[in-house]
Amino acid sequence: MCGIIGYVGPRPAAPLLVEGLRHLEYRGYDSAGIATIEENSLKVVRRAGKIQALIAALGESDMYGQIGIGHSRWATHGKPTDSNAHPHLDCRKTIAVIHNGIIENYLPFKERLQAEGHHFSSQTDTEILAHLFERFYRGDLEEAVRLGLQGIKGAFAIAVIAADSPEEIIVAKTASPLVIGLGNGETFLSSDVPALLPHTRRMIFLHDGEMARLRKDSLKITDLAGKEIERQPVHIDWDPLTAQKGGFKHFMLKEIHEQAQTVSETIGGCSSWDNDRLRLDEFNLTEQQIKEIDNIYLVACGTSFHAGMIAKQLWEDFLPLPIGVEIGSEFRYGNSYIDEHTLVVAISQSGETADTLAGIKRAKEKRATVIAITNIVGSALERMSDGIVRTFSGPEIGVAATKTFTAQLAALTLLGLYLAQRRGSISLQEVRHQLTALSKIPSLIAQLLDREEEIVSIAEKFYNASDFLYLARGLLYPVALEGALKLKEISYIHAEGYPAGEMKHGPIALIDEQMPVVFLLSQQTAYDKVLANIEEVKARKGKIIIFTDTGDDHQLHRLAEDIFSLPSGERVTLPIRHTVPLQLLAYHIAILRGTDVDQPRNLAKTVTVE
Ligand code: AGP
C-alpha cells in the first residue's frame, strides 16, 4: 500500500527520491518523507499530505547526501500526521527505517522496548523496527536488521540506513513487494517497477524471507538466516514513457485511451496460433494435469473479481465443469471444496494483493493447481503459481483499474479457450471463430473512444446525483458491478450494481425521480426481460440511461433520458464494449465533481494488507 524508494550512488539522493515518490504516490498518499546521510548524520524531512507538501518542506534545502530512502504512506496504524510519516528513527536518531506493510505483533515489542527505556515518537507499528535495530546495532547494520527481524510477524518490505554506515542500504521483505534496480555504479530500490524505469531496466525481485545489502556497486542477497543467494537480474521491457501522462490530464484517462493497444498486446503477447492450436506461452501444465481438472475457482478482489465473474460465464459456454468465482478475502476463510484436481485461477493486476495471495496459499495447501493472471513480472502471485497468463498492459498508475481490466478479460478468454481446446470440449472451428471475434476488440475500443464527447454530455446531466444504480443481466451484470465500482471509487457517488431481475426484490424501493439508473442492454442478455425492468423503473420516475448494442430500437427513446449505442459484435466482445463507455462516464462525472481522479481518497493501488 505504501510506496518505498531508495538510492545509493554518486548522485545527490534527495531529488531522485522525490522523483521516485512522485511515481509511487498512487500506492499511498497521505504523507511522505525522505532521509539521507550527510557527514555521518541523518537528514530527515517528513510531512503529512501529498508529495507536494514534502516538496514544499524541502524548499531550497540543499540535501546533498548520495544515499537515501523515501516513503509515501497509506495509513494503517496512526493518523496521517507529520510524526507518523516515515522514515522512523531510533532514539539516537542515527538509524532510519521505511516500511510498507503491517507488523502484526508490534505491541508486545513496543512495550518491551519502552520498558528498556526506548522513547517512541509516533503511533506507528513501524517505529519498533528502528528501536529494535538500534538495540542490535554494533557497527554492522545488516546483522542488526537480521537480528531485529527475529520474531517479527506480518507483512513488510523495509529499507534501513544508518548514519555511521553511509555506504549501504539494508532491505528485507516478507509478503510486501520489493524490487532492486541495478544501474551503472548506482543501485535503487522500490516497491514498484515504474519508479525505477527512468533509471534502469535491470531489476531483481526480492522474495519472501530475503534480505539484501545494497551498495552503489554491489548487491548481496541473503535469507533471514544469513545464507547467501544467487539471483540474476531480469530485463523489464516496459517503456518508461508509459508511466507518464503523455499529454492526458490524468493517468486514468490516458490508460482508458491505451486499451485498444493493451488488449491487442495482451492477445499477441501471451498467446500464439501454431499448427492449428492455440498456445499460451508460460502455461506450464501438462496434458494430463489439464484433463484431470474436476473443478475451477476464479479468485480475485475488486475489479479483478469482476473480470473473474465475466470469465466464469464465458467459460461456461465451452468448458463443461463446475466453475466458481470467489473474492480473495472470503475464499481464504471459506470451506469451498479443493483437492489436487482443482484448478485455481488467481487474477490480480498487481500480483501482490494480500487477500488474493492468502486465498492461493490455502488452495496450494490443498494441492490445487494455481494459474496466475497478472500484469507484474516477478510478482508474489507469479512466484506462487504453477503457470502464468500475463497481461501486457504496461504500468497502470491511476488507482482505478481500467486497462488492466480489459486486458484481464482478453487473457481470461484465451485461457478458457485454451483449456477447452486441450480438454477437447470445443471444436477447432469454434476456437478459430472465437479468436477472430477477440481480434476485433481493439478496433471496437477505438470506435468507442472516438465518441467520448457523447459521454461527456451524459456526465454533465447527472454529475450532481447522489446515488446511481447500474442494472444488467447475464454477461453484463458483472460489467454493471464494475461500472458502479468505477463511479464510486473516483467520484464518491454512492453507486450499486444489481442483476436487473433482482431489482424487484428490494432495490426498486430506492427509485424516485432523483435516481439515475444505468441499464446495460443487449440481445445477448435477455433483452425483453431487461426492457420490462426498464419499464418498471420508468413507472417509478427513475432517470434512465441506456447503453445498448441493439441498434435503433424506437421504444427505447420513449423510456430513456439518454441512449448510447454501442457497436455490435460477438458475445465474447460484449463485456469490453460495455465497459469502455462506463469507464469514461465515471471519469467525466468525477472531473465535473472536481475529485482527485488518479488518487481518490482512502484508496491505494496495491492492497498488501488483509
Ligand atoms: C480497482 O479500480 C480497484 N483499485 C481495486 O478494486 C483493485 O481491482 C483490487 O484492489 C484488486 O487489485 P489487484 O488486481 O492488483 O489484485
Side-chain angles (χ1 to χ4, degrees), residues 184-299:
N184 287 330
E186 51 188 1
T187 310
F188 303 82
L189 71 99
S190 175
S191 37
D192 246 341
V193 168
L196 303 185
L197 287 175
H199 308 292
T200 181
R201 309 281 188 87
R202 282 199 308 143
M203 302 197 194
I204 291 186
F205 293 87
L206 216 58
H207 297 184
D208 286 351
E210 292 181 350
M211 297 178 55
R213 187 192 67 198
L214 282 61
R215 292 186 174 160
K216 65 179 179 191
D217 43 19
S218 72
L219 173 70
K220 179 181 148 199
I221 304 175
T222 63
D223 64 17
L224 289 180
K227 188 167 163 272
E228 277 205 46
I229 293 165
E230 278 293 316
R231 180 153 318 131
Q232 291 307 312
V234 289
H235 179 84
I236 302 291
D237 57 8
W238 282 0
D239 180 352
L241 289 177
T242 317
Q244 293 171 20
K245 282 188 200 154
F248 286 90
K249 199 166 166 211
H250 293 98
F251 279 112
M252 182 182 175
L253 187 61
K254 172 174 173 261
E255 288 157 3
I256 289 172
H257 278 266
E258 281 171 352
Q259 291 180 105
Q261 186 189 341
T262 49
V263 166
S264 157
E265 284 178 3
T266 296
I267 295 171
C270 69
S271 70
S272 53
W273 183 255
D274 179 24
N275 256 341
D276 269 350
R277 278 203 147 209
L278 171 65
R279 303 200 182 262
L280 294 183
D281 291 347
E282 293 184 69
F283 194 89
N284 302 322
L285 305 199
T286 62
E287 197 82 33
Q288 193 180 349
Q289 276 176 304
I290 292 174
K291 291 231 157 95
E292 283 179 357
I293 296 168
D294 276 348
N295 66 332
I296 300 178
Y297 288 106
L298 295 139
V299 179

Side-chain angles (χ1 to χ4, degrees), residues 249-518:
K249 199 166 166 211
H250 293 98
F251 279 112
M252 182 182 175
L253 187 61
K254 172 174 173 261
E255 288 157 3
I256 289 172
H257 278 266
E258 281 171 352
Q259 291 180 105
Q261 186 189 341
T262 49
V263 166
S264 157
E265 284 178 3
T266 296
I267 295 171
C270 69
S271 70
S272 53
W273 183 255
D274 179 24
N275 256 341
D276 269 350
R277 278 203 147 209
L278 171 65
R279 303 200 182 262
L280 294 183
D281 291 347
E282 293 184 69
F283 194 89
N284 302 322
L285 305 199
T286 62
E287 197 82 33
Q288 193 180 349
Q289 276 176 304
I290 292 174
K291 291 231 157 95
E292 283 179 357
I293 296 168
D294 276 348
N295 66 332
I296 300 178
Y297 288 106
L298 295 139
V299 179
C301 302
T303 290
S304 300
F305 173 69
H306 298 153
M309 290 177 76
I310 291 168
K312 169 188 157 67
Q313 293 198 41
L314 287 174
W315 290 9
E316 282 170 349
D317 291 352
F318 38 76
L319 258 182
L321 278 172
I323 304 174
V325 198
E326 301 257 355
I327 288 180
S329 54
E330 295 293 317
F331 184 70
R332 193 236 155 126
Y333 292 109
N335 275 323
S336 35
Y337 186 79
I338 303 170
D339 66 13
E340 70 271 29
H341 300 305
T342 304
L343 175 69
V344 173
V345 178
I347 313 158
S348 172
Q349 175 281 127
S350 61
E352 302 287 349
T353 298
D355 289 325
T356 304
L357 296 182
I360 293 322
K361 197 159 162 258
R362 179 185 156 233
K364 288 203 75 93
E365 280 161 11
K366 304 247 179 194
R367 292 176 298 143
T369 301
V370 175
I371 297 295
I373 308 269
T374 181
N375 197 40
I376 305 292
V377 180
S379 60
L381 179 59
E382 280 203 2
R383 294 198 300 274
M384 288 166 74
S385 301
D386 302 296
I388 302 163
V389 183
R390 220 172 259 132
T391 53
F392 287 75
S393 303
E396 185 175 69
I397 310 294
V399 165
T402 52
K403 63 175 178 173
T404 52
F405 176 66
T406 47
Q408 283 170 349
L409 293 180
L412 282 160
T413 307
L414 289 165
L415 175 57
L417 290 170
Y418 177 82
L419 291 172
Q421 175 192 263
R422 291 197 59 185
R423 287 173 64 89
S425 60
I426 192 169
S427 66
L428 173 62
Q429 192 189 8
E430 185 58 17
V431 177
R432 278 213 177 105
H433 176 72
Q434 296 287 344
L435 291 177
T436 307
L438 208 57
S439 71
K440 292 183 187 147
I441 290 179
S443 86
L444 291 166
I445 293 175
Q447 287 173 46
L448 289 161
L449 291 172
D450 277 349
R451 294 168 52 205
E452 191 169 350
E453 279 311 308
E454 289 174 52
I455 300 289
V456 174
S457 315
I458 301 175
E460 281 167 349
K461 279 196 205 165
F462 296 104
Y463 76 95
N464 273 324
S466 51
D467 306 272
F468 261 77
L469 276 180
Y470 287 68
L471 303 179
R473 290 193 184 217
L475 200 50
L476 290 177
Y477 161 53
V479 180
L481 290 178
E482 176 58 12
L485 176 64
K486 285 289 89 79
L487 186 69
K488 63 188 143 196
E489 275 187 304
I490 60 169
S491 72
Y492 316 145
I493 294 175
H494 169 236
E496 293 200 49
Y498 255 95
E502 186 67 7
M503 190 184 56
K504 56 187 174 292
H505 298 289
I508 199 161
L510 295 169
I511 291 169
D512 62 15
E513 60 278 6
Q514 310 296 329
M515 176 72 89
V517 185
V518 174

